[in-house]
Amino acid sequence: MEPTPTPATAEQIAEGAAADAAELDRKASGADFRANLKTVAERGWLDREAPRLRAILERPTIGPLGLAPCAISGRPAVFLPRGRVAMMVAPGGTGKTQAILQLAVAVAGGGSWFNTFPVARDAVGPVALILGEEDEASMHRRLHRIVKHLRLGEDPEDPDGKARVAANLHAMSVQGVRCDLVDAEGNASDRFDALQAALEAIGAELEGGWSLVILDPASRFLGPDAETDNAAATRWIEAIERLTRVPGNPTVLFCHHTNKGALGG
């Protein structure tokens, strides 16, 4: 018999968020090797439980992709962790945008992604969806179609699903707008500063802050040479990691084509 998953307590959630924020602050402050190269005894890692890895999406517990919950904690395995930068990579024309639209709806409204990967209970919340290849009319059509297909709001056991999506999903088209987030020197651009400021200001007014930020496609947000130069791509990733520090400690997900140089590996 599989153990019953144990919901995270508020204290565990806060502890995980604090640990993630501390790690990002450490990275942002630069590599102070003398101050930060410590023994695990000094850090106390072996004498206390590690902060819980928080999830946006969990692994299913049954089916071909199933993985049993942790035998010790009873919690489901994490598929998409919270507070990280993640990349969805696939050839062009394979449905990446449709997949991230459905992910945005799942996280904003609760439930599961593709009826397979459950959204963690404490991850249901605000999503920032910023698309560079869809205009607002196209986004409207596609999101309306998804919500209608999923029949959100029609389930008598969850009549508020559609309302949650409506309240939590923040959508914006940047088609035709310059959005490179780093400059030619690899520094954060004015556009990055504007995006970060907007996420911080809006997130401060949201209960619990952001859960997920989606940028699609990466090519619309990359700086000069980031698609072909590994060093430039690294500077861009470092900038994007700063967005995981906005209120809510969200995961930042971007989509990329497999045939595009440095970020494709």
mmCIF file of all heavy atoms in Angstrom, residues 91-132:
data_model
loop_
_atom_site.group_PDB
_atom_site.id
_atom_site.type_symbol
_atom_site.label_atom_id
_atom_site.label_comp_id
_atom_site.label_asym_id
_atom_site.label_seq_id
_atom_site.Cartn_x
_atom_site.Cartn_y
_atom_site.Cartn_z
ATOM 1 N N PRO A 91 11.606 20.703 -31.380
ATOM 2 C CA PRO A 91 11.666 21.298 -32.721
ATOM 3 C C PRO A 91 10.497 22.254 -32.944
ATOM 4 O O PRO A 91 9.446 22.156 -32.292
ATOM 5 C CB PRO A 91 11.572 20.081 -33.653
ATOM 6 C CG PRO A 91 12.011 18.918 -32.813
ATOM 7 C CD PRO A 91 11.546 19.228 -31.432
ATOM 8 N N GLY A 92 10.671 23.178 -33.858
ATOM 9 C CA GLY A 92 9.605 24.103 -34.192
ATOM 10 C C GLY A 92 8.378 23.384 -34.736
ATOM 11 O O GLY A 92 8.488 22.366 -35.422
ATOM 12 N N GLY A 93 7.193 23.890 -34.416
ATOM 13 C CA GLY A 93 5.956 23.334 -34.941
ATOM 14 C C GLY A 93 5.459 22.085 -34.253
ATOM 15 O O GLY A 93 4.563 21.406 -34.760
ATOM 16 N N THR A 94 6.021 21.759 -33.087
ATOM 17 C CA THR A 94 5.599 20.536 -32.383
ATOM 18 C C THR A 94 4.605 20.802 -31.257
ATOM 19 O O THR A 94 4.231 19.878 -30.531
ATOM 20 C CB THR A 94 6.818 19.792 -31.812
ATOM 21 O OG1 THR A 94 7.588 20.691 -30.987
ATOM 22 C CG2 THR A 94 7.698 19.257 -32.928
ATOM 23 N N GLY A 95 4.192 22.058 -31.073
ATOM 24 C CA GLY A 95 3.153 22.343 -30.086
ATOM 25 C C GLY A 95 3.643 22.864 -28.753
ATOM 26 O O GLY A 95 2.928 22.751 -27.752
ATOM 27 N N LYS A 96 4.837 23.466 -28.727
ATOM 28 C CA LYS A 96 5.349 23.984 -27.454
ATOM 29 C C LYS A 96 4.445 25.068 -26.879
ATOM 30 O O LYS A 96 4.174 25.084 -25.675
ATOM 31 C CB LYS A 96 6.770 24.535 -27.635
ATOM 32 C CG LYS A 96 7.828 23.507 -27.943
ATOM 33 C CD LYS A 96 9.222 24.093 -27.962
ATOM 34 C CE LYS A 96 9.414 25.161 -29.012
ATOM 35 N NZ LYS A 96 9.231 24.657 -30.398
ATOM 36 N N THR A 97 3.998 25.976 -27.730
ATOM 37 C CA THR A 97 3.157 27.067 -27.229
ATOM 38 C C THR A 97 1.840 26.529 -26.684
ATOM 39 O O THR A 97 1.366 26.978 -25.635
ATOM 40 C CB THR A 97 2.897 28.106 -28.338
ATOM 41 O OG1 THR A 97 4.149 28.668 -28.760
ATOM 42 C CG2 THR A 97 2.003 29.228 -27.826
ATOM 43 N N GLN A 98 1.243 25.575 -27.362
ATOM 44 C CA GLN A 98 0.016 24.974 -26.857
ATOM 45 C C GLN A 98 0.264 24.296 -25.510
ATOM 46 O O GLN A 98 -0.562 24.391 -24.584
ATOM 47 C CB GLN A 98 -0.531 23.961 -27.853
ATOM 48 C CG GLN A 98 -1.839 23.290 -27.442
ATOM 49 C CD GLN A 98 -3.019 24.257 -27.403
ATOM 50 O OE1 GLN A 98 -2.952 25.354 -27.963
ATOM 51 N NE2 GLN A 98 -4.101 23.851 -26.756
ATOM 52 N N ALA A 99 1.409 23.648 -25.383
ATOM 53 C CA ALA A 99 1.734 22.970 -24.131
ATOM 54 C C ALA A 99 1.880 23.957 -22.985
ATOM 55 O O ALA A 99 1.380 23.725 -21.872
ATOM 56 C CB ALA A 99 3.007 22.147 -24.290
ATOM 57 N N ILE A 100 2.550 25.097 -23.233
ATOM 58 C CA ILE A 100 2.737 26.052 -22.129
ATOM 59 C C ILE A 100 1.449 26.820 -21.834
ATOM 60 O O ILE A 100 1.223 27.236 -20.692
ATOM 61 C CB ILE A 100 3.937 26.987 -22.382
ATOM 62 C CG1 ILE A 100 3.810 27.775 -23.673
ATOM 63 C CG2 ILE A 100 5.228 26.186 -22.367
ATOM 64 C CD1 ILE A 100 3.325 29.174 -23.481
ATOM 65 N N LEU A 101 0.585 26.986 -22.818
ATOM 66 C CA LEU A 101 -0.728 27.578 -22.542
ATOM 67 C C LEU A 101 -1.533 26.674 -21.611
ATOM 68 O O LEU A 101 -2.174 27.139 -20.658
ATOM 69 C CB LEU A 101 -1.497 27.811 -23.844
ATOM 70 C CG LEU A 101 -1.026 28.978 -24.719
ATOM 71 C CD1 LEU A 101 -1.698 28.905 -26.082
ATOM 72 C CD2 LEU A 101 -1.314 30.309 -24.053
ATOM 73 N N GLN A 102 -1.488 25.379 -21.877
ATOM 74 C CA GLN A 102 -2.196 24.437 -21.009
ATOM 75 C C GLN A 102 -1.559 24.370 -19.627
ATOM 76 O O GLN A 102 -2.255 24.213 -18.627
ATOM 77 C CB GLN A 102 -2.239 23.060 -21.667
ATOM 78 C CG GLN A 102 -3.107 23.036 -22.920
ATOM 79 C CD GLN A 102 -3.284 21.644 -23.498
ATOM 80 O OE1 GLN A 102 -3.038 21.418 -24.672
ATOM 81 N NE2 GLN A 102 -3.709 20.692 -22.685
ATOM 82 N N LEU A 103 -0.240 24.507 -19.572
ATOM 83 C CA LEU A 103 0.438 24.544 -18.276
ATOM 84 C C LEU A 103 0.019 25.781 -17.492
ATOM 85 O O LEU A 103 -0.242 25.709 -16.286
ATOM 86 C CB LEU A 103 1.952 24.539 -18.477
ATOM 87 C CG LEU A 103 2.799 24.682 -17.211
ATOM 88 C CD1 LEU A 103 2.525 23.545 -16.232
ATOM 89 C CD2 LEU A 103 4.287 24.749 -17.570
ATOM 90 N N ALA A 104 -0.050 26.927 -18.165
ATOM 91 C CA ALA A 104 -0.459 28.160 -17.500
ATOM 92 C C ALA A 104 -1.860 28.031 -16.914
ATOM 93 O O ALA A 104 -2.118 28.446 -15.777
ATOM 94 C CB ALA A 104 -0.406 29.328 -18.488
ATOM 95 N N VAL A 105 -2.769 27.438 -17.674
ATOM 96 C CA VAL A 105 -4.135 27.238 -17.194
ATOM 97 C C VAL A 105 -4.150 26.275 -16.009
ATOM 98 O O VAL A 105 -4.855 26.502 -15.017
ATOM 99 C CB VAL A 105 -5.038 26.719 -18.339
ATOM 100 C CG1 VAL A 105 -6.387 26.247 -17.805
ATOM 101 C CG2 VAL A 105 -5.242 27.815 -19.379
ATOM 102 N N ALA A 106 -3.358 25.209 -16.080
ATOM 103 C CA ALA A 106 -3.329 24.213 -14.999
ATOM 104 C C ALA A 106 -2.839 24.827 -13.697
ATOM 105 O O ALA A 106 -3.430 24.606 -12.624
ATOM 106 C CB ALA A 106 -2.459 23.029 -15.395
ATOM 107 N N VAL A 107 -1.748 25.600 -13.761
ATOM 108 C CA VAL A 107 -1.193 26.187 -12.545
ATOM 109 C C VAL A 107 -2.112 27.281 -12.009
ATOM 110 O O VAL A 107 -2.317 27.401 -10.796
ATOM 111 C CB VAL A 107 0.225 26.739 -12.802
ATOM 112 C CG1 VAL A 107 0.761 27.483 -11.573
ATOM 113 C CG2 VAL A 107 1.167 25.602 -13.172
ATOM 114 N N ALA A 108 -2.698 28.069 -12.892
ATOM 115 C CA ALA A 108 -3.588 29.142 -12.448
ATOM 116 C C ALA A 108 -4.878 28.606 -11.838
ATOM 117 O O ALA A 108 -5.414 29.188 -10.888
ATOM 118 C CB ALA A 108 -3.917 30.069 -13.621
ATOM 119 N N GLY A 109 -5.363 27.491 -12.377
ATOM 120 C CA GLY A 109 -6.654 26.988 -11.924
ATOM 121 C C GLY A 109 -6.606 25.775 -11.025
ATOM 122 O O GLY A 109 -7.591 25.444 -10.362
ATOM 123 N N GLY A 110 -5.458 25.080 -11.010
ATOM 124 C CA GLY A 110 -5.362 23.835 -10.244
ATOM 125 C C GLY A 110 -5.742 22.652 -11.114
ATOM 126 O O GLY A 110 -6.312 22.803 -12.190
ATOM 127 N N GLY A 111 -5.407 21.477 -10.646
ATOM 128 C CA GLY A 111 -5.690 20.264 -11.423
ATOM 129 C C GLY A 111 -4.410 19.602 -11.849
ATOM 130 O O GLY A 111 -3.515 19.366 -11.037
ATOM 131 N N SER A 112 -4.288 19.314 -13.150
ATOM 132 C CA SER A 112 -3.087 18.646 -13.644
ATOM 133 C C SER A 112 -2.773 19.115 -15.046
ATOM 134 O O SER A 112 -3.633 19.668 -15.745
ATOM 135 C CB SER A 112 -3.270 17.122 -13.629
ATOM 136 O OG SER A 112 -4.314 16.740 -14.512
ATOM 137 N N TRP A 113 -1.528 18.892 -15.459
ATOM 138 C CA TRP A 113 -1.081 19.243 -16.800
ATOM 139 C C TRP A 113 -1.197 18.011 -17.676
ATOM 140 O O TRP A 113 -0.650 16.955 -17.358
ATOM 141 C CB TRP A 113 0.357 19.740 -16.737
ATOM 142 C CG TRP A 113 0.907 20.271 -18.012
ATOM 143 C CD1 TRP A 113 0.269 21.055 -18.922
ATOM 144 C CD2 TRP A 113 2.239 20.082 -18.508
ATOM 145 N NE1 TRP A 113 1.108 21.379 -19.962
ATOM 146 C CE2 TRP A 113 2.330 20.803 -19.741
ATOM 147 C CE3 TRP A 113 3.357 19.405 -18.032
ATOM 148 C CZ2 TRP A 113 3.496 20.835 -20.491
ATOM 149 C CZ3 TRP A 113 4.527 19.440 -18.783
ATOM 150 C CH2 TRP A 113 4.586 20.144 -20.000
ATOM 151 N N PHE A 114 -1.935 18.140 -18.777
ATOM 152 C CA PHE A 114 -2.205 17.020 -19.677
ATOM 153 C C PHE A 114 -2.847 15.846 -18.944
ATOM 154 O O PHE A 114 -2.666 14.689 -19.321
ATOM 155 C CB PHE A 114 -0.920 16.551 -20.382
ATOM 156 C CG PHE A 114 -0.384 17.532 -21.382
ATOM 157 C CD1 PHE A 114 0.973 17.854 -21.400
ATOM 158 C CD2 PHE A 114 -1.216 18.137 -22.306
ATOM 159 C CE1 PHE A 114 1.471 18.751 -22.320
ATOM 160 C CE2 PHE A 114 -0.732 19.043 -23.234
ATOM 161 C CZ PHE A 114 0.619 19.350 -23.238
ATOM 162 N N ASN A 115 -3.559 16.165 -17.881
ATOM 163 C CA ASN A 115 -4.249 15.136 -17.103
ATOM 164 C C ASN A 115 -3.276 14.067 -16.603
ATOM 165 O O ASN A 115 -3.657 12.923 -16.375
ATOM 166 C CB ASN A 115 -5.360 14.479 -17.933
ATOM 167 C CG ASN A 115 -6.413 13.815 -17.069
ATOM 168 O OD1 ASN A 115 -6.705 14.277 -15.957
ATOM 169 N ND2 ASN A 115 -6.993 12.723 -17.548
ATOM 170 N N THR A 116 -2.013 14.465 -16.422
ATOM 171 C CA THR A 116 -0.972 13.515 -16.028
ATOM 172 C C THR A 116 -0.141 14.008 -14.852
ATOM 173 O O THR A 116 0.077 13.276 -13.888
ATOM 174 C CB THR A 116 -0.032 13.221 -17.217
ATOM 175 O OG1 THR A 116 -0.801 12.662 -18.291
ATOM 176 C CG2 THR A 116 1.071 12.249 -16.822
ATOM 177 N N PHE A 117 0.340 15.242 -14.927
ATOM 178 C CA PHE A 117 1.216 15.782 -13.896
ATOM 179 C C PHE A 117 0.431 16.729 -12.981
ATOM 180 O O PHE A 117 0.079 17.835 -13.392
ATOM 181 C CB PHE A 117 2.397 16.531 -14.522
ATOM 182 C CG PHE A 117 3.260 15.665 -15.394
ATOM 183 C CD1 PHE A 117 3.071 15.637 -16.771
ATOM 184 C CD2 PHE A 117 4.232 14.856 -14.834
ATOM 185 C CE1 PHE A 117 3.858 14.837 -17.576
ATOM 186 C CE2 PHE A 117 5.026 14.045 -15.634
ATOM 187 C CZ PHE A 117 4.835 14.027 -17.004
ATOM 188 N N PRO A 118 0.147 16.301 -11.734
ATOM 189 C CA PRO A 118 -0.649 17.138 -10.838
ATOM 190 C C PRO A 118 0.091 18.423 -10.465
ATOM 191 O O PRO A 118 1.305 18.421 -10.250
ATOM 192 C CB PRO A 118 -0.834 16.248 -9.596
ATOM 193 C CG PRO A 118 -0.508 14.854 -10.042
ATOM 194 C CD PRO A 118 0.510 15.003 -11.125
ATOM 195 N N VAL A 119 -0.661 19.514 -10.393
ATOM 196 C CA VAL A 119 -0.121 20.766 -9.867
ATOM 197 C C VAL A 119 -0.095 20.655 -8.342
ATOM 198 O O VAL A 119 -1.096 20.280 -7.719
ATOM 199 C CB VAL A 119 -0.982 21.966 -10.293
ATOM 200 C CG1 VAL A 119 -0.448 23.262 -9.682
ATOM 201 C CG2 VAL A 119 -1.026 22.074 -11.820
ATOM 202 N N ALA A 120 1.051 20.945 -7.732
ATOM 203 C CA ALA A 120 1.157 20.876 -6.279
ATOM 204 C C ALA A 120 0.135 21.813 -5.631
ATOM 205 O O ALA A 120 -0.146 22.892 -6.153
ATOM 206 C CB ALA A 120 2.566 21.248 -5.830
ATOM 207 N N ARG A 121 -0.411 21.393 -4.506
ATOM 208 C CA ARG A 121 -1.458 22.178 -3.859
ATOM 209 C C ARG A 121 -1.019 23.602 -3.571
ATOM 210 O O ARG A 121 -1.790 24.555 -3.770
ATOM 211 C CB ARG A 121 -1.883 21.500 -2.545
ATOM 212 C CG ARG A 121 -2.585 20.178 -2.718
ATOM 213 C CD ARG A 121 -3.009 19.632 -1.370
ATOM 214 N NE ARG A 121 -3.532 18.285 -1.466
ATOM 215 C CZ ARG A 121 -3.947 17.580 -0.426
ATOM 216 N NH1 ARG A 121 -3.879 18.104 0.788
ATOM 217 N NH2 ARG A 121 -4.411 16.350 -0.583
ATOM 218 N N ASP A 122 0.204 23.767 -3.095
ATOM 219 C CA ASP A 122 0.652 25.108 -2.741
ATOM 220 C C ASP A 122 1.226 25.873 -3.929
ATOM 221 O O ASP A 122 1.731 26.984 -3.778
ATOM 222 C CB ASP A 122 1.679 25.061 -1.598
ATOM 223 C CG ASP A 122 2.911 24.233 -1.938
ATOM 224 O OD1 ASP A 122 2.992 23.723 -3.067
ATOM 225 O OD2 ASP A 122 3.791 24.105 -1.070
ATOM 226 N N ALA A 123 1.149 25.281 -5.143
ATOM 227 C CA ALA A 123 1.632 25.958 -6.347
ATOM 228 C C ALA A 123 0.504 26.581 -7.150
ATOM 229 O O ALA A 123 0.760 27.374 -8.063
ATOM 230 C CB ALA A 123 2.405 24.984 -7.233
ATOM 231 N N VAL A 124 -0.734 26.241 -6.857
ATOM 232 C CA VAL A 124 -1.863 26.833 -7.576
ATOM 233 C C VAL A 124 -1.894 28.324 -7.269
ATOM 234 O O VAL A 124 -1.990 28.732 -6.099
ATOM 235 C CB VAL A 124 -3.196 26.184 -7.167
ATOM 236 C CG1 VAL A 124 -4.353 26.849 -7.899
ATOM 237 C CG2 VAL A 124 -3.168 24.687 -7.451
ATOM 238 N N GLY A 125 -1.763 29.154 -8.300
ATOM 239 C CA GLY A 125 -1.710 30.589 -8.035
ATOM 240 C C GLY A 125 -1.362 31.383 -9.273
ATOM 241 O O GLY A 125 -1.440 30.882 -10.401
ATOM 242 N N PRO A 126 -0.930 32.618 -9.088
ATOM 243 C CA PRO A 126 -0.712 33.542 -10.206
ATOM 244 C C PRO A 126 0.370 33.095 -11.185
ATOM 245 O O PRO A 126 1.429 32.618 -10.777
ATOM 246 C CB PRO A 126 -0.320 34.847 -9.502
ATOM 247 C CG PRO A 126 -0.973 34.762 -8.161
ATOM 248 C CD PRO A 126 -0.857 33.313 -7.789
ATOM 249 N N VAL A 127 0.071 33.289 -12.450
ATOM 250 C CA VAL A 127 0.976 32.951 -13.545
ATOM 251 C C VAL A 127 1.140 34.171 -14.441
ATOM 252 O O VAL A 127 0.145 34.827 -14.788
ATOM 253 C CB VAL A 127 0.430 31.772 -14.377
ATOM 254 C CG1 VAL A 127 1.324 31.498 -15.580
ATOM 255 C CG2 VAL A 127 0.270 30.523 -13.515
ATOM 256 N N ALA A 128 2.370 34.488 -14.827
ATOM 257 C CA ALA A 128 2.640 35.535 -15.816
ATOM 258 C C ALA A 128 2.982 34.847 -17.136
ATOM 259 O O ALA A 128 3.966 34.107 -17.217
ATOM 260 C CB ALA A 128 3.793 36.421 -15.361
ATOM 261 N N LEU A 129 2.182 35.057 -18.140
ATOM 262 C CA LEU A 129 2.337 34.420 -19.449
ATOM 263 C C LEU A 129 2.653 35.506 -20.471
ATOM 264 O O LEU A 129 1.800 36.337 -20.784
ATOM 265 C CB LEU A 129 1.040 33.689 -19.818
ATOM 266 C CG LEU A 129 0.953 33.065 -21.208
ATOM 267 C CD1 LEU A 129 1.935 31.909 -21.347
ATOM 268 C CD2 LEU A 129 -0.471 32.596 -21.485
ATOM 269 N N ILE A 130 3.878 35.509 -20.975
ATOM 270 C CA ILE A 130 4.325 36.547 -21.903
ATOM 271 C C ILE A 130 4.782 35.876 -23.195
ATOM 272 O O ILE A 130 5.780 35.142 -23.210
ATOM 273 C CB ILE A 130 5.466 37.382 -21.285
ATOM 274 C CG1 ILE A 130 5.031 37.940 -19.924
ATOM 275 C CG2 ILE A 130 5.868 38.517 -22.220
ATOM 276 C CD1 ILE A 130 6.130 38.671 -19.178
ATOM 277 N N LEU A 131 4.049 36.121 -24.271
ATOM 278 C CA LEU A 131 4.296 35.437 -25.545
ATOM 279 C C LEU A 131 4.743 36.427 -26.614
ATOM 280 O O LEU A 131 4.175 37.512 -26.742
ATOM 281 C CB LEU A 131 3.036 34.714 -26.012
ATOM 282 C CG LEU A 131 2.410 33.693 -25.059
ATOM 283 C CD1 LEU A 131 1.277 32.957 -25.757
ATOM 284 C CD2 LEU A 131 3.455 32.705 -24.535
ATOM 285 N N GLY A 132 5.740 36.006 -27.385
ATOM 286 C CA GLY A 132 6.275 36.876 -28.415
ATOM 287 C C GLY A 132 5.822 36.557 -29.820
ATOM 288 O O GLY A 132 6.054 37.348 -30.736
#
